Amino acid sequence: MKRALITGVTGQDGSFLAELLLEKGYDVHGTIRRSSVDFRERIAHLEGHPHFHLHYADLGDSMSIMQVVSKVRPDEIYNLAAQSHVQVSFDSPEFTADVDATGVLRILEAVRLCGLAGSCRIYQASTSELYGKVEEVPQNERTPFHPYSPYAVAKLYGFWIVKEYREAYGMYCCSGILFNHESERRGETFVTRKITLAAARIAQGKQEKLYLGNLSSLRDWGYAKDYVECMWLILQQPEPDDYVIATGEQHSVREFCLLAFRRAGIELEFVGEGENEKGIDKATGRVVVEVSPDFYRPTDVVNLWGDPTKAKKELGWDPTKKTSFEELVNLMVDADMAKVAVERAGEQVKLNLEEYLEKGIVK
Ligand code: NAP
Ligand code: F7E
């Protein structure tokens, strides 16, 4: 039985990857961090599985990394742990550098010091943000990098140190340069999930308006569950290498909004420009989307579009046979419509109970 270690198992990708590896018969070990509130909802359904194990470790703490690597002695490590929010990286640049850059080095050194350099394969979660202020469109493995945020600069170090250890020590370590991938498990402050949750809340009368930043920003958005398959495929190749993983399609934030609100039952029309642009509910004339400069970034990446030709040819991974853009938007909105409906039902039960208690119907 192969042993895999996933750092960042509580995240969107970590949870999907853990499911995939368990299905493939792996013994799966994941790292978690201590927190004052226990927030592990993405992996709650896996806890108790006989081949799913959790260990405390922090990418900022070499000793904890050494400890978990020496204890698990994994055949494969998937390094997904990161401060992954680009906007937050402007507010916490040093923490982001420590975790997203030096953290990668800590993993590589732990593997070497534990004598696993010849046996343990390592996947590093690299990112399309490396292309940043893009130098060509679409972007492939040969496109020059131009990182454009503290997050991207930290991830650039991660990318290069992985390449360095591959060349210097012959280690099997690879980067997946993944373009944006989303899901019903996406963090609520990333733009796609922020939109699907707001569309569901507005449609069910629980929110008035959605405030967004740059509506014209372009992304190549795929489905996270499809993308974790590539992480595994990348580590199964005869030779270690780096791969772009993308759909090969590009859409704007505005387009994402239009589809999401439509799925929630609201037909939108955008009018105006720049900070004055508004999304109007065509049926009622009500403004439901507005622009707020609070969500503008000091430097923003606005033109990401991946070319997945190499992954298609060498990994046999074909994005045209995977979840389409519209299917992705729909599945995210459907999940949030259900989540909001459950929340509303819960609130109603609470109101009823309060009323019954007040009237003495229940004691
Ligand atoms: P995510 O949902 O934000 O998950 C990040 C994970 O990292 C969480 O489990 C988090 O733990 C953990 N983590 C954060 N800081 C840590 C630290 N100091 N030590 C240990 N663990 C730490 O991110 P994701 O979307 O799944 O992305 C996974 C990886 O792929 C990240 O490295 C991200 O940068 C990269 N990436 C993502 C995308 C994308 O579109 N999703 C694209 C390209 C690359 P807590 O739950 O305790 O916070
Ligand atoms: O922003 C614009 C924003 O935060 C996408 C991470 O997983 O993917 C993710 O990073 C775009 C940007 O993702 C809002 O300015 C407009 O241009 O959803 P996002 P991201 O920055 O692309 C990459 C590949 C990663 O590696 C990262 O880990 O949308 N945008 N209005 C907004 N973005 C947010 N968050 N909120 C807004 O209100």
Side-chain angles (χ1 to χ4, degrees):
M1 185 177 238
K2 271 194 183 175
R3 266 191 312 277
L5 175 64
I6 304 175
T7 70
V9 76
T10 55
Q12 170 189 257
D13 292 5
S15 64
F16 282 122
L17 181 65
E19 286 168 6
L20 179 81
L21 296 181
L22 286 170
E23 267 166 42
K24 289 189 181 295
Y26 278 68
D27 197 38
V28 176
H29 296 253
T31 66
I32 51 168
R33 296 188 292 171
R34 143 93 185 131
S35 147
S36 65
V37 277
D38 200 13
F39 192 71
R40 296 190 215 153
E41 69 172 10
R42 294 189 182 106
I43 53 164
H45 59 297
L46 300 178
E47 295 192 45
H49 187 294
H51 296 299
F52 185 65
H53 320 272
L54 294 174
H55 310 263
Y56 282 103
D58 193 304
L59 247 61
D61 173 0
S62 322
M63 281 181 275
S64 68
I65 305 285
M66 273 297 290
Q67 219 176 105
V68 71
V69 171
S70 66
K71 193 166 156 199
V72 176
R73 301 190 70 79
D75 301 295
E76 294 173 8
I77 295 181
Y78 295 86
N79 183 36
L80 309 186
Q83 190 303 94
S84 74
H85 204 285
V86 174
Q87 188 148 17
V88 171
S89 77
F90 289 97
D91 297 324
S92 296
E94 187 182 352
F95 172 73
T96 304
D98 191 37
V99 176
D100 297 11
T102 317
V104 185
L105 177 68
R106 292 184 182 111
I107 296 274
L108 293 164
E109 272 300 295
V111 168
R112 240 166 52 83
L113 296 173
C114 290
L116 298 172
S119 62
C120 177
R121 296 184 168 201
I122 304 167
Y123 171 88
Q124 165 60 16
S126 288
T127 165
S128 52
E129 288 292 308
L130 296 176
Y131 300 118
K133 191 176 182 191
V134 300
E135 301 202 358
E136 86 184 351
V137 179
Q139 298 93 35
N140 61 37
E141 291 80 2
R142 293 173 307 283
T143 303
F145 295 139
H146 189 146
Y148 214 35
S149 65
Y151 167 79
V153 174
K155 282 282 186 179
L156 186 69
Y157 176 87
F159 176 87
W160 280 109
I161 199 72
V162 160
K163 210 170 162 64
E164 175 59 20
Y165 272 55
R166 185 160 78 212
E167 286 168 22
Y169 304 117
M171 285 168 66
Y172 192 113
C173 39
C174 315
S175 271
I177 306 172
L178 270 56
F179 281 62
N180 297 53
H181 44 281
E182 318 294 313
S183 74
E184 63 280 25
R185 296 185 196 171
R186 185 60 144 152
E188 293 177 10
T189 58
F190 294 97
V191 78
T192 54
R193 186 72 200 289
K194 184 173 165 184
I195 295 169
T196 60
L197 199 50
R201 285 189 177 140
I202 292 170
Q204 297 185 50
K206 297 301 295 175
Q207 185 174 328
E208 283 292 309
K209 237 179 238 179
L210 165 65
Y211 292 93
L212 292 171
N214 185 357
L215 295 171
S216 301
S217 190
L218 296 163
R219 286 291 182 276
D220 178 327
W221 279 297
Y223 185 33
K225 201 171 178 176
D226 296 336
Y227 282 36
V228 298
E229 238 179 276
C230 295
M231 298 178 183
W232 178 77
L233 282 169
I234 288 173
L235 290 197
Q236 312 312 311
Q237 301 310 301
E239 297 299 329
D241 205 348
D242 306 321
Y243 295 86
V244 160
I245 306 297
T247 68
E249 263 188 47
Q250 197 185 43
H251 301 274
S252 66
V253 171
R254 188 180 297 102
E255 222 178 317
F256 195 103
C257 272
L258 285 168
L259 289 192
F261 276 82
R262 179 173 300 154
R263 183 70 171 185
I266 299 172
E267 204 58 46
L268 276 190
E269 180 184 25
F270 279 97
V271 295
E273 273 179 38
E275 281 179 33
N276 298 318
E277 187 167 355
K278 293 181 194 331
I280 297 175
D281 177 349
K282 279 192 194 171
T284 61
R286 199 160 66 93
V287 175
V288 288
V289 181
E290 275 199 46
V291 172
S292 164
D294 286 350
F295 299 107
Y296 288 165
R297 296 175 181 180
T299 46
D300 198 10
V301 171
V302 294
N303 195 6
L304 291 179
W305 182 8
D307 171 3
T309 307
K310 179 175 171 186
K312 204 168 162 182
K313 195 164 152 234
E314 295 183 16
L315 305 178
W317 185 83
D318 183 354
T320 62
K321 300 203 172 88
K322 304 288 175 188
T323 313
S324 71
F325 177 64
E326 195 167 347
E327 284 165 351
L328 171 66
V329 177
N330 290 351
L331 74 83
M332 290 179 70
V333 174
D334 292 353
D336 280 330
M337 287 295 275
K339 177 185 157 74
V340 175
V342 168
E343 281 168 9
R344 285 173 61 219
E347 282 165 19
Q348 195 54 53
V349 168
K350 199 166 162 251
L351 282 177
N352 290 347
L353 187 61
E354 278 165 9
E355 189 190 331
Y356 295 159
L357 283 169
E358 208 174 289
K359 290 182 179 162
I361 299 170
V362 290
K363 294 201 169 46

